[in-house]
Amino acid sequence: QVHLVESGGGLVQGGGSLRLSCSYSGFTRPDFAIGWIREAPGKEREGVSCIRSTDGTTFYTDSAKGRFTISRDAAKNAVYLQMDRLNSEDTATYYCAVDLNPRQIATVADFYNGIDWWGQGTLVTVSS
């Protein structure tokens, strides 16, 4: 059984930073993609960022580029999302998700369409 457990959400002022963490377990395959999806109030879910396990290649949606950084600690089975210069548009529930059959991923949208497992989510609220 795959488990993805997010932490690190909370309330932050605009311009501030947060670091989300996702602890994952339940799979051992060497090739997977793991990352973050968010769902803002009244909006559809959108991919934010992902990272490939094999070579560490990272992908970001346009709104995240230059502000967010995804990283993975293979020894700890954890993936992180460092979010800087947050603004009210970043307010959302952030979900950790994994694609266990990543095939060809060229964009975050490719990752989103291949997700096999989701975490429960962690809420990020950015006050203006």
Side-chain angles (χ1 to χ4, degrees):
Q1 183 76 10
V2 174
H3 287 285
L4 303 167
V5 181
E6 304 95 336
S7 61
L11 175 64
V12 62
Q13 278 194 326
S17 299
L18 276 179
R19 188 192 194 212
L20 305 183
S21 300
C22 172
S23 175
Y24 56 88
S25 63
F27 59 95
T28 57
R29 61 181 304 128
D31 185 11
F32 60 92
I34 191 164
W36 298 89
I37 308 298
R38 69 184 180 185
E39 184 174 5
K43 296 184 178 180
E44 294 185 354
R45 289 186 180 183
E46 65 168 346
V48 177
S49 180
C50 66
I51 184 168
R52 289 202 63 139
S53 63
T54 50
D55 58 8
T57 301
T58 57
F59 302 89
Y60 297 92
T61 193
D62 286 345
S63 63
K65 287 178 183 175
R67 299 188 302 127
F68 294 1
T69 304
I70 191 170
S71 61
R72 185 174 78 96
D73 187 332
K76 294 183 178 180
N77 280 4
V79 63
Y80 308 99
L81 186 68
Q82 176 66 40
M83 305 187 293
D84 299 319
R85 291 185 283 133
L86 287 161
N87 58 61
S88 58
E89 298 286 308
D90 299 314
T91 293
T93 297
Y94 286 71
Y95 298 89
C96 181
V98 65
D99 176 356
L100 297 179
N101 297 283
R103 296 172 295 276
Q104 294 292 326
I105 292 179
T107 65
V108 175
D110 292 337
F111 166 70
Y112 182 88
N113 291 331
I115 289 172
D116 296 300
W117 296 90
W118 296 77
Q120 292 298 307
T122 185
L123 178 62
V124 172
T125 303
V126 183
S127 63
S128 55

